[in-house]
Amino acid sequence: MVETPKSQYAQIAAELRERIDGGTYPPGSSLPSETRLADEFGVTRVTINKALTLLRASGDVKVRRGSDTRVRSLPRIPRDAKRRYAARQEGTGAGEVEARRLSLESKTQYREIARVPAPPAVAETLRLGKREDTLVRRRVLYANGEPTQIADSYFPWSIVKGDKALMREEVGKGGSYSRLAELGHGPVRFTEDVTVRVPDDAEQRTLELEATQPVFEIWHVAYTADDRPVEVCIHVMPGHLWTLKYDWDDETATTGP
């Protein structure tokens, strides 16, 4: 089968990506201007602009309005679904621990902590009645000042209404799950459903994304030992910033005699 040759702008994008990966353009550095790149590659600025559009869509570079084009400054952040919550005792939450392990400065900005009616899908997952409320904790996580995810957690109001810590931004060491454990509802099992989609307008603004950059939406549910769901957390995360890791045991495997 004969393959169609790559377009000029795709070839240039591939070359610039190799330079980024190889350190010619280090994280956070500015790329040469479109004019300089056009002269170097012997093409028009329109072609260079198309190449940069590919790099913007893949998250390799970011364009600052009224400024220049810069190489992505953050590394990919590993998210180990199985081990991240076990490590939360190292800080106030799993997200903080993940950033700190990469020597990144972690920050959490809360947008809302309040008693609210449960959205229908959340109510169904938490097995709530029609008139039951939830405690929502809406936050944006940052690493080195850049947004890395949106995370909205919902808890059944009936089990958290007497806990003052969960109504504060800083809930203490171990995060919200340690507070749930103190209330007698400590999570021991988790499920996650992952969807890849494009961000909506609000998510684009909050996460500083291009309209074409995909995000992971992770629907995380925590259960107690008696299989009661006690939290739904909806994570929205830039696809180019995160690596998701899942591992499990093969329960059907048997050893030989």
Side-chain angles (χ1 to χ4, degrees):
M1 180 177 178
V2 178
E3 294 186 3
T4 304
K6 279 187 179 181
S7 61
Q8 282 186 317
Y9 67 86
Q11 294 179 58
I12 293 169
E15 170 62 26
L16 293 175
R17 188 175 290 112
E18 285 186 12
R19 295 180 185 183
I20 291 170
D21 293 340
T24 301
Y25 305 136
S29 66
S30 298
L31 291 186
S33 68
E34 290 186 9
T35 300
R36 286 183 58 189
L37 289 172
D39 290 341
E40 176 186 350
F41 289 103
V43 296
T44 65
R45 284 189 59 185
V46 172
T47 300
I48 295 298
N49 186 268
K50 288 182 177 180
L52 295 179
T53 298
L54 290 181
L55 295 181
R56 289 166 61 183
S58 63
D60 290 292
V61 301
K62 180 181 289 188
V63 175
R64 301 285 186 182
R65 289 186 178 180
S67 183
D68 52 5
T69 301
R70 292 185 176 270
V71 177
R72 184 182 74 233
S73 59
L74 293 179
R76 279 188 175 269
I77 305 172
R79 184 184 187 277
D80 189 321
K82 187 174 183 179
R83 293 178 174 83
R84 66 191 306 265
Y85 292 102
R88 67 185 183 275
Q89 293 297 335
E90 300 174 25
T92 58
E96 176 197 345
V97 173
E98 286 163 339
R100 200 169 60 193
R101 283 179 175 174
L102 294 176
S103 299
L104 303 174
E105 182 181 350
S106 175
K107 174 188 171 185
T108 300
Q109 182 180 53
Y110 281 86
R111 302 194 290 181
E112 182 182 21
I113 302 175
R115 178 180 179 176
V116 298
V122 171
E124 181 179 358
T125 301
L126 291 176
R127 304 172 194 162
L128 301 179
K130 291 183 179 180
R131 297 185 179 180
E132 289 190 71
D133 288 341
T134 59
L135 169 65
V136 67
R137 294 173 59 85
R138 305 185 197 276
R139 58 207 185 274
V140 181
L141 278 64
Y142 295 82
N144 286 5
E146 294 194 30
T148 60
Q149 66 172 290
I150 299 167
D152 293 347
S153 290
Y154 295 87
F155 306 89
W157 181 253
S158 60
I159 68 173
V160 302
K161 59 184 178 182
D163 188 86
K164 294 181 180 180
L166 286 170
M167 296 299 296
R168 299 193 298 261
E169 291 188 2
E170 297 297 331
V171 299
K173 188 174 182 180
S176 58
Y177 286 173
S178 291
R179 305 295 78 77
L180 286 175
E182 292 166 358
L183 293 169
H185 300 284
V188 299
R189 183 175 72 86
F190 311 95
T191 63
E192 290 190 346
D193 292 309
V194 182
T195 302
V196 177
R197 60 173 176 79
V198 294
D200 61 30
D201 291 344
E203 291 164 347
Q204 288 176 45
R205 292 191 297 270
T206 300
L207 296 173
E208 300 176 5
L209 296 175
E210 302 282 338
T212 55
Q213 287 180 297
V215 294
F216 295 120
E217 180 182 286
I218 302 178
W219 191 276
H220 173 92
V221 185
Y223 297 85
T224 61
D226 59 358
D227 208 39
R228 179 179 182 177
V230 290
E231 184 215 23
V232 170
C233 185
I234 305 168
H235 302 265
V236 180
M237 309 158 66
H240 66 273
L241 273 184
W242 291 88
T243 298
L244 307 184
K245 179 180 179 181
Y246 296 86
D247 65 79
W248 58 91
D249 298 324
D250 184 355
E251 297 180 356
T252 65
T254 58
T255 58

